[in-house]
């Protein structure tokens, strides 16, 4: 059964990338590529549109796998960052747009980098 990973990175811009299991990219969508410019790229709506565009490609992959005799595909959802786009991608899976994709998700992974240690913070102003 084919395995795919959907990476969603949301810091200043929302970037959604669909890759094969070995990391080879199939498609990539950003807030700018779906029509949002400047500060609009980090908004909730931009993240939602990126997710919807990726769902269309995943639906094609599901149909292709079923035509080859597979029962479907396995999808891992890899989330990173604390931006509004992250919540938009999660919400898109729960709406009607994600209805065909939802049964194929096997794992949800949070790979947000956390700062542990690192450089010392500034001295607070008194």
């Amino acid at each position: 059964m084919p395995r795919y990973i959907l990476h969603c990175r949301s810091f200043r811009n929302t970037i959604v990338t669909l890759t094969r299991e070995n990391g080879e990219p199939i498609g990539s969508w950003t807030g700018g590529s779906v029509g949002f410019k400047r500060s609009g790229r980090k908004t909730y709506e931009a993240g939602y549109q990126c997710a919807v565009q990726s769902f269309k490609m995943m639906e094609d992959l599901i149909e292709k796998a079923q035509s080859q005799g597979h029962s479907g595909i396995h999808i891992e959802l890899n989330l990173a960052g604390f931006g509004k786009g992250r919540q938009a991608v999660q919400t898109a899976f729960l709406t009607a747009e994600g209805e065909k994709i939802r049964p194929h998700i096997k794992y949800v992974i949070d790979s947000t980098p956390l700062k542990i240690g690192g450089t010392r913070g500034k001295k607070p102003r008194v």
Side-chain angles (χ1 to χ4, degrees):
M1 188 171 296
R3 299 185 81 143
Y4 299 97
I5 304 170
L6 184 70
H7 301 274
C8 173
R9 181 176 169 263
S10 178
F11 290 106
R12 291 178 201 92
N13 188 0
T14 302
I15 302 168
V16 177
T17 306
L18 182 64
T19 63
R20 290 191 171 85
E21 188 176 19
N22 62 0
E24 179 184 341
I26 299 172
S28 183
W29 302 269
T30 64
S33 69
V34 294
F36 294 88
K37 300 299 175 198
R38 294 187 179 87
S39 63
R41 294 179 296 197
K42 62 182 176 183
T43 61
Y44 184 90
E45 185 61 31
Y48 194 88
Q49 292 301 321
C50 289
V52 170
Q53 293 295 322
S54 67
F55 292 171
K56 291 177 185 176
M57 181 168 278
M58 284 188 276
E59 288 173 7
D60 293 340
L61 292 172
I62 291 169
E63 291 174 9
K64 183 179 175 183
Q66 289 175 345
S67 68
Q68 292 176 351
H70 297 291
S71 60
I73 62 174
H74 284 195
I75 300 172
E76 289 183 25
L77 180 59
N78 189 349
L79 302 169
F82 294 111
K84 296 175 187 172
R86 173 191 174 125
Q87 184 65 34
V89 171
Q90 290 175 338
T91 304
F93 274 107
L94 300 175
T95 60
E97 284 91 356
E99 190 173 330
K100 294 180 183 176
I101 307 299
R102 206 174 315 131
H104 300 281
I105 295 180
K106 301 301 175 192
Y107 300 106
V108 178
I109 302 166
D110 185 3
S111 61
T112 303
L114 296 176
K115 182 180 175 184
I116 299 173
T119 59
R120 186 172 178 171
K122 289 180 95 176
K123 180 179 175 183
R125 286 180 74 173
V126 180

PDB file of all heavy atoms in Angstrom, residues 82-117:
ATOM      1  N   PHE A  82       3.344  27.138  15.067  1.00  0.00           N
ATOM      2  CA  PHE A  82       2.196  27.544  15.853  1.00  0.00           C
ATOM      3  C   PHE A  82       1.331  28.569  15.121  1.00  0.00           C
ATOM      4  O   PHE A  82       0.551  29.255  15.747  1.00  0.00           O
ATOM      5  CB  PHE A  82       2.662  28.160  17.182  1.00  0.00           C
ATOM      6  CG  PHE A  82       3.331  27.167  18.077  1.00  0.00           C
ATOM      7  CD1 PHE A  82       4.685  27.256  18.336  1.00  0.00           C
ATOM      8  CD2 PHE A  82       2.608  26.153  18.662  1.00  0.00           C
ATOM      9  CE1 PHE A  82       5.301  26.348  19.167  1.00  0.00           C
ATOM     10  CE2 PHE A  82       3.214  25.243  19.494  1.00  0.00           C
ATOM     11  CZ  PHE A  82       4.568  25.336  19.751  1.00  0.00           C
ATOM     12  N   GLY A  83       1.458  28.675  13.806  1.00  0.00           N
ATOM     13  CA  GLY A  83       0.717  29.695  13.068  1.00  0.00           C
ATOM     14  C   GLY A  83      -0.748  29.344  12.861  1.00  0.00           C
ATOM     15  O   GLY A  83      -1.216  28.250  13.179  1.00  0.00           O
ATOM     16  N   LYS A  84      -1.485  30.283  12.293  1.00  0.00           N
ATOM     17  CA  LYS A  84      -2.908  30.093  12.018  1.00  0.00           C
ATOM     18  C   LYS A  84      -3.136  29.039  10.944  1.00  0.00           C
ATOM     19  O   LYS A  84      -4.169  28.381  10.928  1.00  0.00           O
ATOM     20  CB  LYS A  84      -3.532  31.416  11.589  1.00  0.00           C
ATOM     21  CG  LYS A  84      -3.512  32.469  12.660  1.00  0.00           C
ATOM     22  CD  LYS A  84      -4.046  33.779  12.118  1.00  0.00           C
ATOM     23  CE  LYS A  84      -3.871  34.879  13.147  1.00  0.00           C
ATOM     24  NZ  LYS A  84      -4.208  36.180  12.602  1.00  0.00           N
ATOM     25  N   GLY A  85      -2.172  28.866  10.054  1.00  0.00           N
ATOM     26  CA  GLY A  85      -2.301  27.879   8.981  1.00  0.00           C
ATOM     27  C   GLY A  85      -2.367  26.461   9.492  1.00  0.00           C
ATOM     28  O   GLY A  85      -3.008  25.604   8.895  1.00  0.00           O
ATOM     29  N   ARG A  86      -1.714  26.195  10.594  1.00  0.00           N
ATOM     30  CA  ARG A  86      -1.752  24.852  11.196  1.00  0.00           C
ATOM     31  C   ARG A  86      -3.177  24.493  11.599  1.00  0.00           C
ATOM     32  O   ARG A  86      -3.667  23.415  11.304  1.00  0.00           O
ATOM     33  CB  ARG A  86      -0.833  24.821  12.405  1.00  0.00           C
ATOM     34  CG  ARG A  86      -0.920  23.555  13.210  1.00  0.00           C
ATOM     35  CD  ARG A  86      -0.184  23.728  14.528  1.00  0.00           C
ATOM     36  NE  ARG A  86      -0.366  22.586  15.370  1.00  0.00           N
ATOM     37  CZ  ARG A  86       0.625  21.883  15.884  1.00  0.00           C
ATOM     38  NH1 ARG A  86       1.862  22.226  15.646  1.00  0.00           N
ATOM     39  NH2 ARG A  86       0.383  20.854  16.649  1.00  0.00           N
ATOM     40  N   GLN A  87      -3.846  25.404  12.283  1.00  0.00           N
ATOM     41  CA  GLN A  87      -5.230  25.165  12.699  1.00  0.00           C
ATOM     42  C   GLN A  87      -6.142  25.044  11.487  1.00  0.00           C
ATOM     43  O   GLN A  87      -7.082  24.250  11.489  1.00  0.00           O
ATOM     44  CB  GLN A  87      -5.709  26.298  13.614  1.00  0.00           C
ATOM     45  CG  GLN A  87      -7.094  26.081  14.168  1.00  0.00           C
ATOM     46  CD  GLN A  87      -7.186  24.884  15.089  1.00  0.00           C
ATOM     47  OE1 GLN A  87      -6.251  24.572  15.799  1.00  0.00           O
ATOM     48  NE2 GLN A  87      -8.316  24.212  15.064  1.00  0.00           N
ATOM     49  N   ALA A  88      -5.854  25.791  10.437  1.00  0.00           N
ATOM     50  CA  ALA A  88      -6.669  25.732   9.225  1.00  0.00           C
ATOM     51  C   ALA A  88      -6.567  24.368   8.562  1.00  0.00           C
ATOM     52  O   ALA A  88      -7.573  23.816   8.088  1.00  0.00           O
ATOM     53  CB  ALA A  88      -6.240  26.829   8.259  1.00  0.00           C
ATOM     54  N   VAL A  89      -5.373  23.791   8.513  1.00  0.00           N
ATOM     55  CA  VAL A  89      -5.188  22.472   7.909  1.00  0.00           C
ATOM     56  C   VAL A  89      -5.926  21.421   8.729  1.00  0.00           C
ATOM     57  O   VAL A  89      -6.593  20.541   8.181  1.00  0.00           O
ATOM     58  CB  VAL A  89      -3.690  22.134   7.770  1.00  0.00           C
ATOM     59  CG1 VAL A  89      -3.487  20.696   7.347  1.00  0.00           C
ATOM     60  CG2 VAL A  89      -3.031  23.070   6.765  1.00  0.00           C
ATOM     61  N   GLN A  90      -5.835  21.501  10.051  1.00  0.00           N
ATOM     62  CA  GLN A  90      -6.551  20.562  10.908  1.00  0.00           C
ATOM     63  C   GLN A  90      -8.060  20.672  10.708  1.00  0.00           C
ATOM     64  O   GLN A  90      -8.765  19.666  10.639  1.00  0.00           O
ATOM     65  CB  GLN A  90      -6.208  20.809  12.369  1.00  0.00           C
ATOM     66  CG  GLN A  90      -4.810  20.419  12.742  1.00  0.00           C
ATOM     67  CD  GLN A  90      -4.464  20.795  14.175  1.00  0.00           C
ATOM     68  OE1 GLN A  90      -5.086  21.676  14.764  1.00  0.00           O
ATOM     69  NE2 GLN A  90      -3.464  20.136  14.725  1.00  0.00           N
ATOM     70  N   THR A  91      -8.567  21.883  10.604  1.00  0.00           N
ATOM     71  CA  THR A  91      -9.997  22.098  10.407  1.00  0.00           C
ATOM     72  C   THR A  91     -10.443  21.590   9.042  1.00  0.00           C
ATOM     73  O   THR A  91     -11.532  21.021   8.917  1.00  0.00           O
ATOM     74  CB  THR A  91     -10.333  23.596  10.546  1.00  0.00           C
ATOM     75  OG1 THR A  91      -9.872  24.049  11.823  1.00  0.00           O
ATOM     76  CG2 THR A  91     -11.814  23.841  10.429  1.00  0.00           C
ATOM     77  N   ALA A  92      -9.610  21.771   8.028  1.00  0.00           N
ATOM     78  CA  ALA A  92      -9.959  21.333   6.681  1.00  0.00           C
ATOM     79  C   ALA A  92     -10.155  19.815   6.627  1.00  0.00           C
ATOM     80  O   ALA A  92     -11.000  19.322   5.875  1.00  0.00           O
ATOM     81  CB  ALA A  92      -8.889  21.764   5.690  1.00  0.00           C
ATOM     82  N   PHE A  93      -9.394  19.073   7.422  1.00  0.00           N
ATOM     83  CA  PHE A  93      -9.577  17.622   7.459  1.00  0.00           C
ATOM     84  C   PHE A  93     -10.930  17.239   8.053  1.00  0.00           C
ATOM     85  O   PHE A  93     -11.478  16.199   7.718  1.00  0.00           O
ATOM     86  CB  PHE A  93      -8.459  16.960   8.272  1.00  0.00           C
ATOM     87  CG  PHE A  93      -7.251  16.670   7.458  1.00  0.00           C
ATOM     88  CD1 PHE A  93      -6.118  17.434   7.612  1.00  0.00           C
ATOM     89  CD2 PHE A  93      -7.237  15.643   6.535  1.00  0.00           C
ATOM     90  CE1 PHE A  93      -4.982  17.180   6.864  1.00  0.00           C
ATOM     91  CE2 PHE A  93      -6.115  15.386   5.775  1.00  0.00           C
ATOM     92  CZ  PHE A  93      -4.984  16.149   5.943  1.00  0.00           C
ATOM     93  N   LEU A  94     -11.475  18.067   8.925  1.00  0.00           N
ATOM     94  CA  LEU A  94     -12.729  17.751   9.593  1.00  0.00           C
ATOM     95  C   LEU A  94     -13.961  18.241   8.848  1.00  0.00           C
ATOM     96  O   LEU A  94     -15.075  17.933   9.246  1.00  0.00           O
ATOM     97  CB  LEU A  94     -12.713  18.335  11.015  1.00  0.00           C
ATOM     98  CG  LEU A  94     -11.593  17.817  11.905  1.00  0.00           C
ATOM     99  CD1 LEU A  94     -11.599  18.562  13.235  1.00  0.00           C
ATOM    100  CD2 LEU A  94     -11.713  16.325  12.116  1.00  0.00           C
ATOM    101  N   THR A  95     -13.770  18.999   7.774  1.00  0.00           N
ATOM    102  CA  THR A  95     -14.900  19.515   7.002  1.00  0.00           C
ATOM    103  C   THR A  95     -15.204  18.594   5.826  1.00  0.00           C
ATOM    104  O   THR A  95     -14.622  17.536   5.662  1.00  0.00           O
ATOM    105  CB  THR A  95     -14.601  20.937   6.482  1.00  0.00           C
ATOM    106  OG1 THR A  95     -13.446  20.879   5.646  1.00  0.00           O
ATOM    107  CG2 THR A  95     -14.363  21.908   7.619  1.00  0.00           C
ATOM    108  N   ALA A  96     -16.135  19.012   4.987  1.00  0.00           N
ATOM    109  CA  ALA A  96     -16.553  18.206   3.836  1.00  0.00           C
ATOM    110  C   ALA A  96     -15.415  18.015   2.828  1.00  0.00           C
ATOM    111  O   ALA A  96     -15.364  16.984   2.147  1.00  0.00           O
ATOM    112  CB  ALA A  96     -17.741  18.874   3.153  1.00  0.00           C
ATOM    113  N   GLU A  97     -14.491  18.977   2.732  1.00  0.00           N
ATOM    114  CA  GLU A  97     -13.376  18.844   1.788  1.00  0.00           C
ATOM    115  C   GLU A  97     -12.470  17.673   2.141  1.00  0.00           C
ATOM    116  O   GLU A  97     -11.905  17.029   1.280  1.00  0.00           O
ATOM    117  CB  GLU A  97     -12.535  20.129   1.722  1.00  0.00           C
ATOM    118  CG  GLU A  97     -13.157  21.254   0.938  1.00  0.00           C
ATOM    119  CD  GLU A  97     -13.999  22.159   1.815  1.00  0.00           C
ATOM    120  OE1 GLU A  97     -14.154  21.870   3.021  1.00  0.00           O
ATOM    121  OE2 GLU A  97     -14.518  23.150   1.286  1.00  0.00           O
ATOM    122  N   GLY A  98     -12.331  17.383   3.426  1.00  0.00           N
ATOM    123  CA  GLY A  98     -11.441  16.318   3.870  1.00  0.00           C
ATOM    124  C   GLY A  98     -12.119  14.975   4.065  1.00  0.00           C
ATOM    125  O   GLY A  98     -11.507  14.033   4.560  1.00  0.00           O
ATOM    126  N   GLU A  99     -13.371  14.869   3.663  1.00  0.00           N
ATOM    127  CA  GLU A  99     -14.139  13.650   3.905  1.00  0.00           C
ATOM    128  C   GLU A  99     -13.543  12.423   3.219  1.00  0.00           C
ATOM    129  O   GLU A  99     -13.519  11.336   3.792  1.00  0.00           O
ATOM    130  CB  GLU A  99     -15.581  13.865   3.452  1.00  0.00           C
ATOM    131  CG  GLU A  99     -16.524  12.770   3.858  1.00  0.00           C
ATOM    132  CD  GLU A  99     -17.961  13.123   3.538  1.00  0.00           C
ATOM    133  OE1 GLU A  99     -18.301  14.323   3.545  1.00  0.00           O
ATOM    134  OE2 GLU A  99     -18.723  12.197   3.267  1.00  0.00           O
ATOM    135  N   LYS A 100     -13.037  12.580   2.005  1.00  0.00           N
ATOM    136  CA  LYS A 100     -12.457  11.452   1.271  1.00  0.00           C
ATOM    137  C   LYS A 100     -11.055  11.109   1.761  1.00  0.00           C
ATOM    138  O   LYS A 100     -10.600   9.983   1.619  1.00  0.00           O
ATOM    139  CB  LYS A 100     -12.410  11.756  -0.218  1.00  0.00           C
ATOM    140  CG  LYS A 100     -13.764  11.890  -0.854  1.00  0.00           C
ATOM    141  CD  LYS A 100     -13.649  12.200  -2.324  1.00  0.00           C
ATOM    142  CE  LYS A 100     -15.017  12.407  -2.939  1.00  0.00           C
ATOM    143  NZ  LYS A 100     -14.926  12.811  -4.344  1.00  0.00           N
ATOM    144  N   ILE A 101     -10.358  12.071   2.348  1.00  0.00           N
ATOM    145  CA  ILE A 101      -8.976  11.890   2.778  1.00  0.00           C
ATOM    146  C   ILE A 101      -8.913  11.337   4.197  1.00  0.00           C
ATOM    147  O   ILE A 101      -8.022  10.557   4.528  1.00  0.00           O
ATOM    148  CB  ILE A 101      -8.226  13.246   2.709  1.00  0.00           C
ATOM    149  CG1 ILE A 101      -8.372  13.890   1.328  1.00  0.00           C
ATOM    150  CG2 ILE A 101      -6.771  13.094   3.087  1.00  0.00           C
ATOM    151  CD1 ILE A 101      -7.826  13.085   0.202  1.00  0.00           C
ATOM    152  N   ARG A 102      -9.837  11.728   5.038  1.00  0.00           N
ATOM    153  CA  ARG A 102      -9.812  11.398   6.462  1.00  0.00           C
ATOM    154  C   ARG A 102      -9.629   9.904   6.773  1.00  0.00           C
ATOM    155  O   ARG A 102      -8.839   9.558   7.657  1.00  0.00           O
ATOM    156  CB  ARG A 102     -11.096  11.915   7.121  1.00  0.00           C
ATOM    157  CG  ARG A 102     -10.970  12.196   8.574  1.00  0.00           C
ATOM    158  CD  ARG A 102     -12.229  12.845   9.163  1.00  0.00           C
ATOM    159  NE  ARG A 102     -12.762  13.904   8.332  1.00  0.00           N
ATOM    160  CZ  ARG A 102     -14.047  13.997   7.973  1.00  0.00           C
ATOM    161  NH1 ARG A 102     -14.938  13.143   8.384  1.00  0.00           N
ATOM    162  NH2 ARG A 102     -14.461  14.999   7.207  1.00  0.00           N
ATOM    163  N   PRO A 103     -10.286   8.983   6.081  1.00  0.00           N
ATOM    164  CA  PRO A 103     -10.098   7.555   6.425  1.00  0.00           C
ATOM    165  C   PRO A 103      -8.693   7.025   6.140  1.00  0.00           C
ATOM    166  O   PRO A 103      -8.315   5.992   6.673  1.00  0.00           O
ATOM    167  CB  PRO A 103     -11.117   6.833   5.547  1.00  0.00           C
ATOM    168  CG  PRO A 103     -12.039   7.858   5.029  1.00  0.00           C
ATOM    169  CD  PRO A 103     -11.327   9.158   5.091  1.00  0.00           C
ATOM    170  N   HIS A 104      -7.918   7.723   5.337  1.00  0.00           N
ATOM    171  CA  HIS A 104      -6.597   7.244   4.936  1.00  0.00           C
ATOM    172  C   HIS A 104      -5.482   7.748   5.845  1.00  0.00           C
ATOM    173  O   HIS A 104      -4.342   7.330   5.707  1.00  0.00           O
ATOM    174  CB  HIS A 104      -6.308   7.650   3.480  1.00  0.00           C
ATOM    175  CG  HIS A 104      -7.303   7.080   2.528  1.00  0.00           C
ATOM    176  ND1 HIS A 104      -7.252   5.775   2.105  1.00  0.00           N
ATOM    177  CD2 HIS A 104      -8.396   7.622   1.934  1.00  0.00           C
ATOM    178  CE1 HIS A 104      -8.251   5.539   1.278  1.00  0.00           C
ATOM    179  NE2 HIS A 104      -8.966   6.651   1.168  1.00  0.00           N
ATOM    180  N   ILE A 105      -5.797   8.647   6.793  1.00  0.00           N
ATOM    181  CA  ILE A 105      -4.773   9.174   7.698  1.00  0.00           C
ATOM    182  C   ILE A 105      -4.497   8.150   8.785  1.00  0.00           C
ATOM    183  O   ILE A 105      -5.402   7.695   9.485  1.00  0.00           O
ATOM    184  CB  ILE A 105      -5.211  10.511   8.309  1.00  0.00           C
ATOM    185  CG1 ILE A 105      -5.313  11.552   7.209  1.00  0.00           C
ATOM    186  CG2 ILE A 105      -4.234  10.956   9.380  1.00  0.00           C
ATOM    187  CD1 ILE A 105      -5.725  12.890   7.671  1.00  0.00           C
ATOM    188  N   LYS A 106      -3.219   7.784   8.921  1.00  0.00           N
ATOM    189  CA  LYS A 106      -2.825   6.777   9.902  1.00  0.00           C
ATOM    190  C   LYS A 106      -2.099   7.393  11.091  1.00  0.00           C
ATOM    191  O   LYS A 106      -2.197   6.883  12.198  1.00  0.00           O
ATOM    192  CB  LYS A 106      -1.923   5.721   9.250  1.00  0.00           C
ATOM    193  CG  LYS A 106      -2.587   5.010   8.094  1.00  0.00           C
ATOM    194  CD  LYS A 106      -3.859   4.316   8.531  1.00  0.00           C
ATOM    195  CE  LYS A 106      -4.570   3.713   7.341  1.00  0.00           C
ATOM    196  NZ  LYS A 106      -5.911   3.288   7.644  1.00  0.00           N
ATOM    197  N   TYR A 107      -1.333   8.471  10.873  1.00  0.00           N
ATOM    198  CA  TYR A 107      -0.557   9.092  11.940  1.00  0.00           C
ATOM    199  C   TYR A 107      -0.676  10.605  11.851  1.00  0.00           C
ATOM    200  O   TYR A 107      -0.718  11.172  10.764  1.00  0.00           O
ATOM    201  CB  TYR A 107       0.935   8.751  11.835  1.00  0.00           C
ATOM    202  CG  TYR A 107       1.243   7.279  11.918  1.00  0.00           C
ATOM    203  CD1 TYR A 107       1.600   6.576  10.791  1.00  0.00           C
ATOM    204  CD2 TYR A 107       1.183   6.607  13.132  1.00  0.00           C
ATOM    205  CE1 TYR A 107       1.883   5.231  10.850  1.00  0.00           C
ATOM    206  CE2 TYR A 107       1.469   5.267  13.208  1.00  0.00           C
ATOM    207  CZ  TYR A 107       1.816   4.583  12.062  1.00  0.00           C
ATOM    208  OH  TYR A 107       2.098   3.245  12.128  1.00  0.00           O
ATOM    209  N   VAL A 108      -0.689  11.255  13.014  1.00  0.00           N
ATOM    210  CA  VAL A 108      -0.581  12.708  13.102  1.00  0.00           C
ATOM    211  C   VAL A 108       0.615  12.982  14.009  1.00  0.00           C
ATOM    212  O   VAL A 108       0.639  12.548  15.163  1.00  0.00           O
ATOM    213  CB  VAL A 108      -1.850  13.356  13.676  1.00  0.00           C
ATOM    214  CG1 VAL A 108      -1.668  14.858  13.806  1.00  0.00           C
ATOM    215  CG2 VAL A 108      -3.051  13.040  12.804  1.00  0.00           C
ATOM    216  N   ILE A 109       1.623  13.669  13.468  1.00  0.00           N
ATOM    217  CA  ILE A 109       2.869  13.920  14.181  1.00  0.00           C
ATOM    218  C   ILE A 109       3.056  15.428  14.336  1.00  0.00           C
ATOM    219  O   ILE A 109       2.864  16.180  13.382  1.00  0.00           O
ATOM    220  CB  ILE A 109       4.062  13.320  13.409  1.00  0.00           C
ATOM    221  CG1 ILE A 109       3.852  11.822  13.231  1.00  0.00           C
ATOM    222  CG2 ILE A 109       5.367  13.600  14.115  1.00  0.00           C
ATOM    223  CD1 ILE A 109       4.777  11.203  12.228  1.00  0.00           C
ATOM    224  N   ASP A 110       3.443  15.857  15.534  1.00  0.00           N
ATOM    225  CA  ASP A 110       3.756  17.258  15.776  1.00  0.00           C
ATOM    226  C   ASP A 110       5.274  17.389  15.863  1.00  0.00           C
ATOM    227  O   ASP A 110       5.882  16.887  16.798  1.00  0.00           O
ATOM    228  CB  ASP A 110       3.105  17.732  17.070  1.00  0.00           C
ATOM    229  CG  ASP A 110       3.297  19.213  17.311  1.00  0.00           C
ATOM    230  OD1 ASP A 110       3.883  19.889  16.443  1.00  0.00           O
ATOM    231  OD2 ASP A 110       2.865  19.708  18.367  1.00  0.00           O
ATOM    232  N   SER A 111       5.877  18.045  14.886  1.00  0.00           N
ATOM    233  CA  SER A 111       7.335  18.202  14.872  1.00  0.00           C
ATOM    234  C   SER A 111       7.739  19.665  15.051  1.00  0.00           C
ATOM    235  O   SER A 111       8.711  20.119  14.461  1.00  0.00           O
ATOM    236  CB  SER A 111       7.921  17.641  13.580  1.00  0.00           C
ATOM    237  OG  SER A 111       7.402  18.343  12.481  1.00  0.00           O
ATOM    238  N   THR A 112       6.994  20.390  15.876  1.00  0.00           N
ATOM    239  CA  THR A 112       7.319  21.782  16.164  1.00  0.00           C
ATOM    240  C   THR A 112       8.605  21.834  16.979  1.00  0.00           C
ATOM    241  O   THR A 112       8.702  21.174  18.010  1.00  0.00           O
ATOM    242  CB  THR A 112       6.186  22.447  16.955  1.00  0.00           C
ATOM    243  OG1 THR A 112       4.976  22.323  16.210  1.00  0.00           O
ATOM    244  CG2 THR A 112       6.480  23.911  17.199  1.00  0.00           C
ATOM    245  N   PRO A 113       9.600  22.593  16.512  1.00  0.00           N
ATOM    246  CA  PRO A 113      10.840  22.688  17.293  1.00  0.00           C
ATOM    247  C   PRO A 113      10.609  23.481  18.579  1.00  0.00           C
ATOM    248  O   PRO A 113      10.013  24.546  18.565  1.00  0.00           O
ATOM    249  CB  PRO A 113      11.804  23.410  16.353  1.00  0.00           C
ATOM    250  CG  PRO A 113      10.950  24.124  15.377  1.00  0.00           C
ATOM    251  CD  PRO A 113       9.669  23.352  15.273  1.00  0.00           C
ATOM    252  N   LEU A 114      11.065  22.924  19.682  1.00  0.00           N
ATOM    253  CA  LEU A 114      10.947  23.602  20.968  1.00  0.00           C
ATOM    254  C   LEU A 114      12.322  24.074  21.415  1.00  0.00           C
ATOM    255  O   LEU A 114      13.310  23.351  21.269  1.00  0.00           O
ATOM    256  CB  LEU A 114      10.378  22.657  22.021  1.00  0.00           C
ATOM    257  CG  LEU A 114       8.964  22.168  21.762  1.00  0.00           C
ATOM    258  CD1 LEU A 114       8.569  21.166  22.822  1.00  0.00           C
ATOM    259  CD2 LEU A 114       7.998  23.324  21.736  1.00  0.00           C
ATOM    260  N   LYS A 115      12.380  25.252  21.969  1.00  0.00           N
ATOM    261  CA  LYS A 115      13.651  25.806  22.421  1.00  0.00           C
ATOM    262  C   LYS A 115      13.930  25.294  23.829  1.00  0.00           C
ATOM    263  O   LYS A 115      13.218  25.617  24.774  1.00  0.00           O
ATOM    264  CB  LYS A 115      13.587  27.333  22.410  1.00  0.00           C
ATOM    265  CG  LYS A 115      14.879  27.989  22.819  1.00  0.00           C
ATOM    266  CD  LYS A 115      14.746  29.497  22.788  1.00  0.00           C
ATOM    267  CE  LYS A 115      16.001  30.143  23.312  1.00  0.00           C
ATOM    268  NZ  LYS A 115      15.885  31.588  23.381  1.00  0.00           N
ATOM    269  N   ILE A 116      14.958  24.486  23.939  1.00  0.00           N
ATOM    270  CA  ILE A 116      15.384  23.966  25.240  1.00  0.00           C
ATOM    271  C   ILE A 116      16.827  24.411  25.425  1.00  0.00           C
ATOM    272  O   ILE A 116      17.688  24.067  24.627  1.00  0.00           O
ATOM    273  CB  ILE A 116      15.274  22.438  25.307  1.00  0.00           C
ATOM    274  CG1 ILE A 116      13.825  22.035  25.114  1.00  0.00           C
ATOM    275  CG2 ILE A 116      15.819  21.922  26.617  1.00  0.00           C
ATOM    276  CD1 ILE A 116      13.594  20.565  24.999  1.00  0.00           C
ATOM    277  N   GLY A 117      17.087  25.169  26.446  1.00  0.00           N
ATOM    278  CA  GLY A 117      18.431  25.703  26.629  1.00  0.00           C
ATOM    279  C   GLY A 117      18.619  26.874  25.671  1.00  0.00           C
ATOM    280  O   GLY A 117      17.914  27.859  25.742  1.00  0.00           O
TER     281      GLY A 117
END
